[in-house]
Amino acid sequence: MQSTDDILGTSRLPNETTKKIMQNKLATDTGQVTLLSEICLKVNNAKDKSKKLRVLRENDSQPLRQVLKGAFSPHIEWDLPKGDVPYTPNDAPIGTEHTALMQEARTLFRFVKGGDTTITQNKREIMFIQVLEGLCAEEAKFLTDVVNKRLNKVYKGLTANLVKDAFHWDDNFMQKQPSYPV
């Protein structure tokens, strides 16, 4: 059986050079971190499958892959109550006084069944509410849609099959093994 780190794609930590590349990739021209919800909105607004694939591939990052895997993989079960979460949305303007889901993605293992067995269910739920309240309202709503596995209902055309095609994943949401001629 795979570990939760393998399932969420966090088992390999990048070296320093890769970290710098990732940080540069996460920042936009204004120095602000790209919101995962904005990427999915671009997918929603793209006219056809090839354009939707291009949006995902152009914005490819470890956090995006982790979150989309959590949203679509049937092997990932969130250890949180289903439905709406009682939290206070952070109403500060986007780009101020917020954490970013792009950065918080590395902590999401705590909310997956089997991810962090050292904390109680009550503590897990409190921590999740704290994460939501630290995000801008748009990203918090996006994360609750991920946890409730309803991204495909919110973002037109953002489906498990599209995500698998974009990142060359198999039906287990793992990297496809190259096939070599025998």
Side-chain angles (χ1 to χ4, degrees):
M1 183 166 158
Q2 297 172 329
S3 72
T4 304
D5 282 346
D6 289 339
I7 291 171
L8 286 176
T10 59
S11 62
R12 292 185 209 115
L13 295 175
N15 62 31
E16 288 303 311
T17 305
T18 307
K19 283 182 184 177
K20 289 182 190 275
I21 291 168
M22 285 176 64
Q23 287 170 343
N24 290 340
K25 187 172 182 94
L26 299 178
T28 62
D29 294 332
T30 61
Q32 293 182 359
V33 173
T34 303
L35 300 179
L36 296 182
S37 56
E38 288 177 343
I39 294 168
C40 291
L41 185 61
K42 288 178 184 178
V43 170
N44 179 80
N45 294 340
K47 299 292 181 200
D48 58 37
K49 183 178 178 181
S50 65
K51 290 178 180 156
K52 291 175 187 298
L53 286 169
R54 186 172 339 126
V55 169
L56 288 174
R57 290 176 180 155
E58 286 175 355
N59 291 282
D60 188 12
S61 66
Q62 188 68 22
L64 178 64
R65 286 176 179 238
Q66 285 174 237
V67 170
L68 292 177
K69 188 178 280 194
F72 292 110
S73 175
H75 304 293
I76 295 177
E77 273 187 74
W78 295 93
D79 202 1
L80 296 164
K82 300 283 186 242
D84 294 331
V85 181
Y87 72 98
T88 305
N90 188 335
D91 59 358
I94 291 178
T96 62
E97 300 179 31
H98 296 290
T99 56
L101 187 52
M102 195 64 95
Q103 294 150 335
E104 289 289 336
R106 63 185 167 79
T107 67
L108 295 180
F109 75 94
R110 293 185 175 117
F111 311 114
V112 173
K113 284 190 179 174
D116 188 348
T117 58
T118 64
I119 58 175
T120 65
Q121 184 63 24
N122 189 44
K123 178 70 174 168
R124 179 175 292 107
E125 292 173 22
I126 290 169
M127 289 170 58
F128 187 67
I129 289 170
Q130 289 171 337
V131 167
L132 292 175
E133 290 178 346
L135 298 169
C136 69
E138 182 180 336
E139 287 274 89
K141 166 95 174 66
F142 175 78
L143 183 54
T144 60
D145 290 336
V146 166
V147 168
N148 288 301
K149 298 198 180 246
R150 60 180 179 220
L151 278 189
N152 60 330
K153 292 177 176 79
V154 177
Y155 298 95
K156 180 181 70 172
L158 184 59
T159 64
N161 286 334
L162 181 80
V163 170
K164 289 189 289 187
D165 287 350
F167 302 128
H168 307 290
W169 287 340
D170 61 21
D171 288 337
N172 293 317
F173 288 80
M174 301 298 290
Q175 195 71 39
K176 287 182 182 176
Q177 297 299 323
S179 57
Y180 297 102
V182 182

mmCIF file of all heavy atoms in Angstrom, residues 51-96:
data_model
loop_
_atom_site.group_PDB
_atom_site.id
_atom_site.type_symbol
_atom_site.label_atom_id
_atom_site.label_comp_id
_atom_site.label_asym_id
_atom_site.label_seq_id
_atom_site.Cartn_x
_atom_site.Cartn_y
_atom_site.Cartn_z
ATOM 1 N N LYS A 51 -7.301 23.799 -24.963
ATOM 2 C CA LYS A 51 -6.982 25.028 -24.232
ATOM 3 C C LYS A 51 -7.007 24.786 -22.726
ATOM 4 O O LYS A 51 -6.203 25.337 -21.982
ATOM 5 C CB LYS A 51 -7.943 26.149 -24.624
ATOM 6 C CG LYS A 51 -7.692 26.635 -26.039
ATOM 7 C CD LYS A 51 -8.651 27.707 -26.471
ATOM 8 C CE LYS A 51 -8.308 28.114 -27.897
ATOM 9 N NZ LYS A 51 -9.401 28.689 -28.618
ATOM 10 N N LYS A 52 -7.916 23.952 -22.271
ATOM 11 C CA LYS A 52 -7.977 23.603 -20.847
ATOM 12 C C LYS A 52 -6.701 22.862 -20.440
ATOM 13 O O LYS A 52 -6.116 23.144 -19.387
ATOM 14 C CB LYS A 52 -9.211 22.756 -20.554
ATOM 15 C CG LYS A 52 -10.522 23.521 -20.684
ATOM 16 C CD LYS A 52 -11.728 22.610 -20.497
ATOM 17 C CE LYS A 52 -13.040 23.304 -20.797
ATOM 18 N NZ LYS A 52 -13.370 24.430 -19.982
ATOM 19 N N LEU A 53 -6.268 21.928 -21.288
ATOM 20 C CA LEU A 53 -5.027 21.198 -21.022
ATOM 21 C C LEU A 53 -3.837 22.156 -20.973
ATOM 22 O O LEU A 53 -2.970 22.034 -20.099
ATOM 23 C CB LEU A 53 -4.798 20.130 -22.094
ATOM 24 C CG LEU A 53 -5.678 18.891 -22.024
ATOM 25 C CD1 LEU A 53 -5.537 18.056 -23.292
ATOM 26 C CD2 LEU A 53 -5.355 18.063 -20.787
ATOM 27 N N ARG A 54 -3.811 23.105 -21.906
ATOM 28 C CA ARG A 54 -2.709 24.065 -21.938
ATOM 29 C C ARG A 54 -2.648 24.882 -20.653
ATOM 30 O O ARG A 54 -1.576 25.114 -20.105
ATOM 31 C CB ARG A 54 -2.832 24.989 -23.153
ATOM 32 C CG ARG A 54 -1.616 25.888 -23.293
ATOM 33 C CD ARG A 54 -1.535 26.723 -24.558
ATOM 34 N NE ARG A 54 -2.329 26.245 -25.649
ATOM 35 C CZ ARG A 54 -3.231 26.991 -26.300
ATOM 36 N NH1 ARG A 54 -3.433 28.240 -25.956
ATOM 37 N NH2 ARG A 54 -3.913 26.495 -27.306
ATOM 38 N N VAL A 55 -3.799 25.306 -20.139
ATOM 39 C CA VAL A 55 -3.823 26.082 -18.894
ATOM 40 C C VAL A 55 -3.222 25.262 -17.756
ATOM 41 O O VAL A 55 -2.379 25.754 -16.996
ATOM 42 C CB VAL A 55 -5.267 26.519 -18.538
ATOM 43 C CG1 VAL A 55 -5.337 27.084 -17.131
ATOM 44 C CG2 VAL A 55 -5.777 27.539 -19.542
ATOM 45 N N LEU A 56 -3.636 24.009 -17.631
ATOM 46 C CA LEU A 56 -3.099 23.162 -16.557
ATOM 47 C C LEU A 56 -1.599 22.933 -16.721
ATOM 48 O O LEU A 56 -0.840 23.021 -15.746
ATOM 49 C CB LEU A 56 -3.835 21.830 -16.500
ATOM 50 C CG LEU A 56 -5.260 21.877 -15.972
ATOM 51 C CD1 LEU A 56 -5.927 20.512 -16.093
ATOM 52 C CD2 LEU A 56 -5.301 22.364 -14.530
ATOM 53 N N ARG A 57 -1.163 22.666 -17.927
ATOM 54 C CA ARG A 57 0.261 22.390 -18.164
ATOM 55 C C ARG A 57 1.118 23.631 -17.982
ATOM 56 O O ARG A 57 2.229 23.548 -17.461
ATOM 57 C CB ARG A 57 0.448 21.788 -19.546
ATOM 58 C CG ARG A 57 -0.102 20.369 -19.615
ATOM 59 C CD ARG A 57 -0.026 19.778 -20.997
ATOM 60 N NE ARG A 57 -0.568 18.425 -20.990
ATOM 61 C CZ ARG A 57 -1.077 17.829 -22.053
ATOM 62 N NH1 ARG A 57 -1.101 18.455 -23.225
ATOM 63 N NH2 ARG A 57 -1.554 16.607 -21.962
ATOM 64 N N GLU A 58 0.625 24.784 -18.391
ATOM 65 C CA GLU A 58 1.393 26.023 -18.227
ATOM 66 C C GLU A 58 1.512 26.421 -16.761
ATOM 67 O O GLU A 58 2.440 27.132 -16.383
ATOM 68 C CB GLU A 58 0.755 27.161 -19.023
ATOM 69 C CG GLU A 58 0.976 27.049 -20.515
ATOM 70 C CD GLU A 58 0.241 28.114 -21.320
ATOM 71 O OE1 GLU A 58 -0.540 28.908 -20.724
ATOM 72 O OE2 GLU A 58 0.430 28.146 -22.548
ATOM 73 N N ASN A 59 0.570 25.996 -15.944
ATOM 74 C CA ASN A 59 0.576 26.337 -14.520
ATOM 75 C C ASN A 59 0.982 25.153 -13.654
ATOM 76 O O ASN A 59 0.766 25.161 -12.445
ATOM 77 C CB ASN A 59 -0.803 26.840 -14.109
ATOM 78 C CG ASN A 59 -1.103 28.181 -14.727
ATOM 79 O OD1 ASN A 59 -0.617 29.207 -14.280
ATOM 80 N ND2 ASN A 59 -1.878 28.176 -15.799
ATOM 81 N N ASP A 60 1.568 24.135 -14.270
ATOM 82 C CA ASP A 60 1.946 22.916 -13.564
ATOM 83 C C ASP A 60 2.893 23.237 -12.397
ATOM 84 O O ASP A 60 3.865 23.970 -12.559
ATOM 85 C CB ASP A 60 2.629 21.954 -14.533
ATOM 86 C CG ASP A 60 2.885 20.593 -13.936
ATOM 87 O OD1 ASP A 60 2.356 20.270 -12.857
ATOM 88 O OD2 ASP A 60 3.636 19.836 -14.559
ATOM 89 N N SER A 61 2.555 22.711 -11.237
ATOM 90 C CA SER A 61 3.399 22.834 -10.050
ATOM 91 C C SER A 61 3.033 21.709 -9.102
ATOM 92 O O SER A 61 1.956 21.113 -9.211
ATOM 93 C CB SER A 61 3.187 24.193 -9.366
ATOM 94 O OG SER A 61 1.867 24.275 -8.843
ATOM 95 N N GLN A 62 3.919 21.425 -8.183
ATOM 96 C CA GLN A 62 3.651 20.378 -7.203
ATOM 97 C C GLN A 62 2.384 20.685 -6.403
ATOM 98 O O GLN A 62 1.543 19.808 -6.238
ATOM 99 C CB GLN A 62 4.861 20.200 -6.269
ATOM 100 C CG GLN A 62 4.751 19.021 -5.336
ATOM 101 C CD GLN A 62 4.810 17.690 -6.066
ATOM 102 O OE1 GLN A 62 5.327 17.589 -7.181
ATOM 103 N NE2 GLN A 62 4.265 16.663 -5.466
ATOM 104 N N PRO A 63 2.189 21.920 -5.910
ATOM 105 C CA PRO A 63 0.948 22.203 -5.168
ATOM 106 C C PRO A 63 -0.316 22.010 -6.001
ATOM 107 O O PRO A 63 -1.304 21.466 -5.503
ATOM 108 C CB PRO A 63 1.118 23.668 -4.743
ATOM 109 C CG PRO A 63 2.591 23.883 -4.716
ATOM 110 C CD PRO A 63 3.127 23.047 -5.838
ATOM 111 N N LEU A 64 -0.303 22.428 -7.258
ATOM 112 C CA LEU A 64 -1.476 22.246 -8.114
ATOM 113 C C LEU A 64 -1.772 20.762 -8.282
ATOM 114 O O LEU A 64 -2.915 20.327 -8.149
ATOM 115 C CB LEU A 64 -1.266 22.902 -9.478
ATOM 116 C CG LEU A 64 -2.417 22.734 -10.482
ATOM 117 C CD1 LEU A 64 -3.686 23.423 -9.979
ATOM 118 C CD2 LEU A 64 -2.007 23.276 -11.852
ATOM 119 N N ARG A 65 -0.747 19.968 -8.532
ATOM 120 C CA ARG A 65 -0.934 18.528 -8.692
ATOM 121 C C ARG A 65 -1.494 17.906 -7.412
ATOM 122 O O ARG A 65 -2.391 17.077 -7.467
ATOM 123 C CB ARG A 65 0.384 17.845 -9.062
ATOM 124 C CG ARG A 65 0.802 18.099 -10.494
ATOM 125 C CD ARG A 65 2.162 17.470 -10.778
ATOM 126 N NE ARG A 65 2.556 17.683 -12.147
ATOM 127 C CZ ARG A 65 2.842 16.704 -13.006
ATOM 128 N NH1 ARG A 65 2.783 15.451 -12.624
ATOM 129 N NH2 ARG A 65 3.194 16.975 -14.231
ATOM 130 N N GLN A 66 -0.932 18.291 -6.253
ATOM 131 C CA GLN A 66 -1.396 17.741 -4.979
ATOM 132 C C GLN A 66 -2.869 18.032 -4.757
ATOM 133 O O GLN A 66 -3.639 17.150 -4.366
ATOM 134 C CB GLN A 66 -0.593 18.335 -3.815
ATOM 135 C CG GLN A 66 0.791 17.803 -3.681
ATOM 136 C CD GLN A 66 1.550 18.535 -2.608
ATOM 137 O OE1 GLN A 66 2.599 19.076 -2.888
ATOM 138 N NE2 GLN A 66 1.046 18.570 -1.414
ATOM 139 N N VAL A 67 -3.253 19.270 -4.970
ATOM 140 C CA VAL A 67 -4.637 19.679 -4.711
ATOM 141 C C VAL A 67 -5.594 19.001 -5.686
ATOM 142 O O VAL A 67 -6.650 18.498 -5.278
ATOM 143 C CB VAL A 67 -4.760 21.219 -4.747
ATOM 144 C CG1 VAL A 67 -6.205 21.657 -4.735
ATOM 145 C CG2 VAL A 67 -4.006 21.826 -3.558
ATOM 146 N N LEU A 68 -5.224 18.948 -6.965
ATOM 147 C CA LEU A 68 -6.102 18.304 -7.937
ATOM 148 C C LEU A 68 -6.182 16.798 -7.709
ATOM 149 O O LEU A 68 -7.237 16.192 -7.895
ATOM 150 C CB LEU A 68 -5.657 18.629 -9.366
ATOM 151 C CG LEU A 68 -5.848 20.092 -9.777
ATOM 152 C CD1 LEU A 68 -5.319 20.329 -11.189
ATOM 153 C CD2 LEU A 68 -7.298 20.524 -9.651
ATOM 154 N N LYS A 69 -5.094 16.211 -7.267
ATOM 155 C CA LYS A 69 -5.136 14.781 -6.930
ATOM 156 C C LYS A 69 -6.080 14.575 -5.749
ATOM 157 O O LYS A 69 -6.887 13.643 -5.741
ATOM 158 C CB LYS A 69 -3.735 14.280 -6.577
ATOM 159 C CG LYS A 69 -3.664 12.779 -6.405
ATOM 160 C CD LYS A 69 -2.251 12.310 -6.098
ATOM 161 C CE LYS A 69 -1.428 12.242 -7.351
ATOM 162 N NZ LYS A 69 -0.170 11.484 -7.170
ATOM 163 N N GLY A 70 -6.014 15.446 -4.760
ATOM 164 C CA GLY A 70 -6.917 15.359 -3.611
ATOM 165 C C GLY A 70 -8.373 15.560 -3.992
ATOM 166 O O GLY A 70 -9.277 15.013 -3.370
ATOM 167 N N ALA A 71 -8.598 16.331 -5.042
ATOM 168 C CA ALA A 71 -9.963 16.612 -5.489
ATOM 169 C C ALA A 71 -10.554 15.466 -6.290
ATOM 170 O O ALA A 71 -11.762 15.227 -6.220
ATOM 171 C CB ALA A 71 -9.981 17.884 -6.339
ATOM 172 N N PHE A 72 -9.719 14.756 -7.050
ATOM 173 C CA PHE A 72 -10.259 13.779 -7.991
ATOM 174 C C PHE A 72 -9.913 12.320 -7.711
ATOM 175 O O PHE A 72 -10.630 11.435 -8.164
ATOM 176 C CB PHE A 72 -9.819 14.134 -9.420
ATOM 177 C CG PHE A 72 -10.435 15.400 -9.924
ATOM 178 C CD1 PHE A 72 -9.676 16.540 -10.112
ATOM 179 C CD2 PHE A 72 -11.786 15.469 -10.210
ATOM 180 C CE1 PHE A 72 -10.239 17.718 -10.584
ATOM 181 C CE2 PHE A 72 -12.373 16.634 -10.677
ATOM 182 C CZ PHE A 72 -11.594 17.762 -10.866
ATOM 183 N N SER A 73 -8.837 12.057 -7.024
ATOM 184 C CA SER A 73 -8.442 10.659 -6.821
ATOM 185 C C SER A 73 -9.402 9.950 -5.870
ATOM 186 O O SER A 73 -9.630 10.409 -4.752
ATOM 187 C CB SER A 73 -7.028 10.563 -6.248
ATOM 188 O OG SER A 73 -6.722 9.207 -5.959
ATOM 189 N N PRO A 74 -9.932 8.805 -6.298
ATOM 190 C CA PRO A 74 -10.818 8.045 -5.409
ATOM 191 C C PRO A 74 -10.046 7.383 -4.260
ATOM 192 O O PRO A 74 -10.640 6.915 -3.306
ATOM 193 C CB PRO A 74 -11.441 6.994 -6.337
ATOM 194 C CG PRO A 74 -10.473 6.857 -7.460
ATOM 195 C CD PRO A 74 -9.799 8.188 -7.614
ATOM 196 N N HIS A 75 -8.710 7.389 -4.349
ATOM 197 C CA HIS A 75 -7.889 6.769 -3.310
ATOM 198 C C HIS A 75 -7.612 7.715 -2.143
ATOM 199 O O HIS A 75 -7.089 7.281 -1.124
ATOM 200 C CB HIS A 75 -6.565 6.288 -3.900
ATOM 201 C CG HIS A 75 -6.759 5.349 -5.050
ATOM 202 N ND1 HIS A 75 -7.300 4.097 -4.903
ATOM 203 C CD2 HIS A 75 -6.516 5.508 -6.376
ATOM 204 C CE1 HIS A 75 -7.369 3.506 -6.081
ATOM 205 N NE2 HIS A 75 -6.908 4.349 -6.994
ATOM 206 N N ILE A 76 -7.947 8.974 -2.309
ATOM 207 C CA ILE A 76 -7.707 9.952 -1.238
ATOM 208 C C ILE A 76 -9.030 10.242 -0.560
ATOM 209 O O ILE A 76 -9.971 10.723 -1.185
ATOM 210 C CB ILE A 76 -7.078 11.245 -1.785
ATOM 211 C CG1 ILE A 76 -5.694 10.931 -2.345
ATOM 212 C CG2 ILE A 76 -7.006 12.308 -0.698
ATOM 213 C CD1 ILE A 76 -5.001 12.098 -2.982
ATOM 214 N N GLU A 77 -9.075 9.931 0.730
ATOM 215 C CA GLU A 77 -10.256 10.210 1.544
ATOM 216 C C GLU A 77 -9.892 11.290 2.547
ATOM 217 O O GLU A 77 -8.943 11.152 3.315
ATOM 218 C CB GLU A 77 -10.685 8.954 2.316
ATOM 219 C CG GLU A 77 -11.612 8.058 1.558
ATOM 220 C CD GLU A 77 -12.127 6.940 2.458
ATOM 221 O OE1 GLU A 77 -12.986 7.220 3.322
ATOM 222 O OE2 GLU A 77 -11.635 5.822 2.286
ATOM 223 N N TRP A 78 -10.658 12.343 2.539
ATOM 224 C CA TRP A 78 -10.428 13.433 3.479
ATOM 225 C C TRP A 78 -11.011 13.047 4.827
ATOM 226 O O TRP A 78 -12.125 12.548 4.901
ATOM 227 C CB TRP A 78 -11.056 14.725 2.944
ATOM 228 C CG TRP A 78 -10.372 15.174 1.682
ATOM 229 C CD1 TRP A 78 -10.741 14.876 0.411
ATOM 230 C CD2 TRP A 78 -9.190 15.956 1.589
ATOM 231 N NE1 TRP A 78 -9.857 15.444 -0.478
ATOM 232 C CE2 TRP A 78 -8.890 16.107 0.223
ATOM 233 C CE3 TRP A 78 -8.346 16.547 2.527
ATOM 234 C CZ2 TRP A 78 -7.791 16.837 -0.234
ATOM 235 C CZ3 TRP A 78 -7.258 17.273 2.070
ATOM 236 C CH2 TRP A 78 -6.986 17.405 0.718
ATOM 237 N N ASP A 79 -10.254 13.274 5.876
ATOM 238 C CA ASP A 79 -10.669 12.926 7.233
ATOM 239 C C ASP A 79 -11.320 14.146 7.894
ATOM 240 O O ASP A 79 -10.911 14.590 8.972
ATOM 241 C CB ASP A 79 -9.460 12.441 8.035
ATOM 242 C CG ASP A 79 -9.858 11.592 9.227
ATOM 243 O OD1 ASP A 79 -11.066 11.361 9.410
ATOM 244 O OD2 ASP A 79 -8.962 11.174 9.980
ATOM 245 N N LEU A 80 -12.299 14.690 7.215
ATOM 246 C CA LEU A 80 -13.026 15.875 7.668
ATOM 247 C C LEU A 80 -14.514 15.636 7.437
ATOM 248 O O LEU A 80 -14.878 14.876 6.534
ATOM 249 C CB LEU A 80 -12.578 17.105 6.874
ATOM 250 C CG LEU A 80 -11.119 17.532 7.053
ATOM 251 C CD1 LEU A 80 -10.710 18.497 5.950
ATOM 252 C CD2 LEU A 80 -10.911 18.151 8.422
ATOM 253 N N PRO A 81 -15.361 16.301 8.215
ATOM 254 C CA PRO A 81 -16.799 16.152 7.974
ATOM 255 C C PRO A 81 -17.169 16.653 6.580
ATOM 256 O O PRO A 81 -16.586 17.611 6.079
ATOM 257 C CB PRO A 81 -17.442 17.033 9.050
ATOM 258 C CG PRO A 81 -16.386 17.228 10.077
ATOM 259 C CD PRO A 81 -15.070 17.151 9.373
ATOM 260 N N LYS A 82 -18.123 16.004 5.961
ATOM 261 C CA LYS A 82 -18.594 16.404 4.629
ATOM 262 C C LYS A 82 -19.448 17.667 4.739
ATOM 263 O O LYS A 82 -20.045 17.934 5.766
ATOM 264 C CB LYS A 82 -19.444 15.293 4.007
ATOM 265 C CG LYS A 82 -18.710 13.986 3.830
ATOM 266 C CD LYS A 82 -17.783 14.041 2.647
ATOM 267 C CE LYS A 82 -17.161 12.685 2.393
ATOM 268 N NZ LYS A 82 -15.725 12.698 2.515
ATOM 269 N N GLY A 83 -19.485 18.423 3.669
ATOM 270 C CA GLY A 83 -20.359 19.585 3.614
ATOM 271 C C GLY A 83 -19.659 20.880 3.967
ATOM 272 O O GLY A 83 -18.440 20.983 3.959
ATOM 273 N N ASP A 84 -20.482 21.880 4.271
ATOM 274 C CA ASP A 84 -19.972 23.211 4.578
ATOM 275 C C ASP A 84 -19.205 23.222 5.894
ATOM 276 O O ASP A 84 -19.537 22.500 6.830
ATOM 277 C CB ASP A 84 -21.118 24.218 4.635
ATOM 278 C CG ASP A 84 -21.767 24.418 3.273
ATOM 279 O OD1 ASP A 84 -21.063 24.264 2.256
ATOM 280 O OD2 ASP A 84 -22.969 24.717 3.229
ATOM 281 N N VAL A 85 -18.186 24.063 5.940
ATOM 282 C CA VAL A 85 -17.326 24.181 7.122
ATOM 283 C C VAL A 85 -17.663 25.492 7.830
ATOM 284 O O VAL A 85 -17.741 26.534 7.190
ATOM 285 C CB VAL A 85 -15.840 24.171 6.707
ATOM 286 C CG1 VAL A 85 -14.930 24.272 7.913
ATOM 287 C CG2 VAL A 85 -15.515 22.922 5.895
ATOM 288 N N PRO A 86 -17.851 25.437 9.145
ATOM 289 C CA PRO A 86 -18.162 26.676 9.887
ATOM 290 C C PRO A 86 -16.892 27.492 10.141
ATOM 291 O O PRO A 86 -16.199 27.299 11.127
ATOM 292 C CB PRO A 86 -18.753 26.155 11.197
ATOM 293 C CG PRO A 86 -18.094 24.821 11.393
ATOM 294 C CD PRO A 86 -17.864 24.266 10.019
ATOM 295 N N TYR A 87 -16.581 28.387 9.224
ATOM 296 C CA TYR A 87 -15.405 29.251 9.392
ATOM 297 C C TYR A 87 -15.784 30.673 9.019
ATOM 298 O O TYR A 87 -16.800 30.913 8.363
ATOM 299 C CB TYR A 87 -14.230 28.756 8.539
ATOM 300 C CG TYR A 87 -14.391 28.983 7.057
ATOM 301 C CD1 TYR A 87 -13.805 30.074 6.424
ATOM 302 C CD2 TYR A 87 -15.136 28.105 6.274
ATOM 303 C CE1 TYR A 87 -13.963 30.281 5.065
ATOM 304 C CE2 TYR A 87 -15.293 28.306 4.916
ATOM 305 C CZ TYR A 87 -14.704 29.397 4.311
ATOM 306 O OH TYR A 87 -14.860 29.603 2.970
ATOM 307 N N THR A 88 -14.955 31.617 9.435
ATOM 308 C CA THR A 88 -15.169 33.017 9.104
ATOM 309 C C THR A 88 -14.269 33.370 7.935
ATOM 310 O O THR A 88 -13.037 33.358 8.077
ATOM 311 C CB THR A 88 -14.832 33.923 10.313
ATOM 312 O OG1 THR A 88 -15.596 33.475 11.430
ATOM 313 C CG2 THR A 88 -15.117 35.372 10.007
ATOM 314 N N PRO A 89 -14.833 33.650 6.764
ATOM 315 C CA PRO A 89 -14.000 33.989 5.604
ATOM 316 C C PRO A 89 -13.143 35.225 5.880
ATOM 317 O O PRO A 89 -13.583 36.171 6.532
ATOM 318 C CB PRO A 89 -15.022 34.273 4.500
ATOM 319 C CG PRO A 89 -16.262 33.565 4.928
ATOM 320 C CD PRO A 89 -16.253 33.624 6.429
ATOM 321 N N ASN A 90 -11.928 35.190 5.392
ATOM 322 C CA ASN A 90 -10.991 36.298 5.523
ATOM 323 C C ASN A 90 -11.362 37.323 4.459
ATOM 324 O O ASN A 90 -11.242 37.075 3.275
ATOM 325 C CB ASN A 90 -9.563 35.775 5.328
ATOM 326 C CG ASN A 90 -8.515 36.812 5.624
ATOM 327 O OD1 ASN A 90 -8.755 37.998 5.539
ATOM 328 N ND2 ASN A 90 -7.329 36.343 5.967
ATOM 329 N N ASP A 91 -11.824 38.491 4.898
ATOM 330 C CA ASP A 91 -12.308 39.486 3.938
ATOM 331 C C ASP A 91 -11.267 40.537 3.573
ATOM 332 O O ASP A 91 -11.587 41.524 2.916
ATOM 333 C CB ASP A 91 -13.593 40.151 4.442
ATOM 334 C CG ASP A 91 -13.412 40.846 5.784
ATOM 335 O OD1 ASP A 91 -12.307 40.787 6.348
ATOM 336 O OD2 ASP A 91 -14.390 41.441 6.265
ATOM 337 N N ALA A 92 -10.007 40.319 3.965
ATOM 338 C CA ALA A 92 -8.954 41.248 3.554
ATOM 339 C C ALA A 92 -8.776 41.145 2.039
ATOM 340 O O ALA A 92 -8.993 40.084 1.460
ATOM 341 C CB ALA A 92 -7.652 40.907 4.272
ATOM 342 N N PRO A 93 -8.400 42.245 1.389
ATOM 343 C CA PRO A 93 -8.220 42.205 -0.069
ATOM 344 C C PRO A 93 -7.190 41.141 -0.467
ATOM 345 O O PRO A 93 -6.229 40.889 0.257
ATOM 346 C CB PRO A 93 -7.701 43.602 -0.411
ATOM 347 C CG PRO A 93 -8.105 44.458 0.737
ATOM 348 C CD PRO A 93 -8.132 43.564 1.933
ATOM 349 N N ILE A 94 -7.418 40.530 -1.629
ATOM 350 C CA ILE A 94 -6.496 39.501 -2.121
ATOM 351 C C ILE A 94 -5.106 40.101 -2.245
ATOM 352 O O ILE A 94 -4.939 41.214 -2.727
ATOM 353 C CB ILE A 94 -6.982 38.943 -3.473
ATOM 354 C CG1 ILE A 94 -8.267 38.140 -3.256
ATOM 355 C CG2 ILE A 94 -5.916 38.092 -4.135
ATOM 356 C CD1 ILE A 94 -8.879 37.573 -4.502
ATOM 357 N N GLY A 95 -4.122 39.359 -1.778
ATOM 358 C CA GLY A 95 -2.733 39.816 -1.823
ATOM 359 C C GLY A 95 -2.259 40.421 -0.515
ATOM 360 O O GLY A 95 -1.098 40.759 -0.375
ATOM 361 N N THR A 96 -3.178 40.575 0.443
ATOM 362 C CA THR A 96 -2.785 41.113 1.746
ATOM 363 C C THR A 96 -3.280 40.173 2.841
ATOM 364 O O THR A 96 -4.351 39.578 2.725
ATOM 365 C CB THR A 96 -3.421 42.501 1.988
ATOM 366 O OG1 THR A 96 -4.841 42.367 1.986
ATOM 367 C CG2 THR A 96 -3.006 43.506 0.932
#
